Amino acid sequence: MMSILPAEFYEQPTLELAKSLLGCELVKETEEGTASGYIVETEAYIGPEDRAAHSFNNKRTQRTEIMFGLPGYVYTYVMHTHCLVNVVSGEVGHPEAVLIRAVEPVEGIDLIHERRGDKKEKDFTNGPGKLTKALGIIKSDYGHPLDKSPLYIKKGFSPEHISQGKRIGIENSGEARDYPWRFWITENMYVSR
């Protein structure tokens, strides 16, 4: 437990945080066991000015409320029946977040295999909805501080090379669709696409 990232880690600017999370280990403890993965792909969403963000124009709803608070908390939501997990970032009152898009399985491989069925190994966690199913992250993890069990992020490794490009699946967001705010560990087989 000593290597759990402290709350202060999440206070860095959102674009920096999105890169800093690469190589860190996302861990979820459940009754069935513990499963984890190294974060290999992220996307930054910079709140009020970002048309692709749920909090664009400071939109404050029951769903986005957690984003207006302290950084380092879990923001989960359901999209097309898939639960997606984000790390709240930005200063209090400035709603920003980092979507975790893909992880490389580390702990609980059998449990991940059980949860993901007969998929190919590289398809277990190579997308934001896939990784939450694999690790057992659910909508009710919303609002949880990421420096405490049962859902937390630990130190991992420092990637040698990080690639950067456009975010995925946000075609209807005007100029925001072209922002190069997706980051991934270069040539990692678990990156979504």
Side-chain angles (χ1 to χ4, degrees):
M1 290 302 221
M2 290 303 287
S3 61
I4 291 179
L5 296 172
E8 305 79 65
F9 173 84
Y10 302 100
E11 293 171 5
Q12 55 190 306
T14 299
L15 292 175
E16 291 305 309
L17 180 62
K19 288 183 262 189
S20 296
L21 284 166
L22 296 174
C24 295
E25 188 178 351
L26 178 65
V27 184
K28 176 68 190 283
E29 299 166 351
T30 64
E31 285 181 10
E32 300 92 62
T34 299
S36 75
Y38 291 126
I39 298 169
V40 298
E41 183 181 6
T42 60
E43 282 180 346
Y45 288 87
I46 303 194
E49 301 83 35
D50 181 356
R51 286 181 177 277
H54 294 161
S55 55
F56 173 63
N57 244 351
N58 276 313
K59 185 176 181 186
R60 201 163 187 155
T61 64
Q62 194 172 357
R63 176 168 88 162
T64 64
E65 189 59 36
I66 192 68
M67 295 171 74
F68 287 84
L70 290 166
Y73 281 73
V74 176
Y75 171 43
T76 50
Y77 62 90
V78 174
M79 180 179 265
H80 310 303
T81 73
H82 300 293
C83 177
L84 275 58
V85 65
N86 296 256
V87 175
V88 173
S89 58
E91 296 173 14
V92 173
H94 197 83
E96 302 179 5
V98 176
L99 171 67
I100 299 175
R101 278 200 62 88
V103 302
E104 176 182 327
V106 178
E107 186 181 353
I109 304 295
D110 290 344
L111 185 55
I112 288 171
H113 193 275
E114 197 178 301
R115 288 173 174 157
R116 296 292 294 132
D118 57 359
K119 311 278 185 296
K120 288 188 190 133
E121 188 182 334
K122 77 173 193 63
D123 293 328
F124 284 169
T125 55
N126 65 343
K130 296 175 183 182
L131 77 89
T132 54
K133 280 187 187 75
L135 300 186
I137 296 170
I138 52 177
K139 192 169 178 244
S140 60
D141 287 315
Y142 179 98
H144 180 79
L146 280 161
D147 59 347
K148 294 182 174 50
S149 178
L151 176 58
Y152 51 92
I153 298 177
K154 298 191 326 185
K155 285 186 180 131
F157 66 94
S158 295
E160 277 187 41
H161 300 287
I162 293 174
S163 295
Q164 181 173 354
K166 291 182 192 178
R167 297 174 294 183
I168 296 172
I170 55 165
E171 285 71 30
N172 302 330
S173 56
E175 73 285 348
R177 71 174 175 258
D178 295 322
Y179 298 164
W181 291 350
R182 180 168 73 101
F183 305 93
W184 64 94
I185 296 178
T186 309
E187 293 182 1
N188 184 283
M189 69 181 268
Y190 291 95
V191 170
S192 61
R193 57 172 149 150

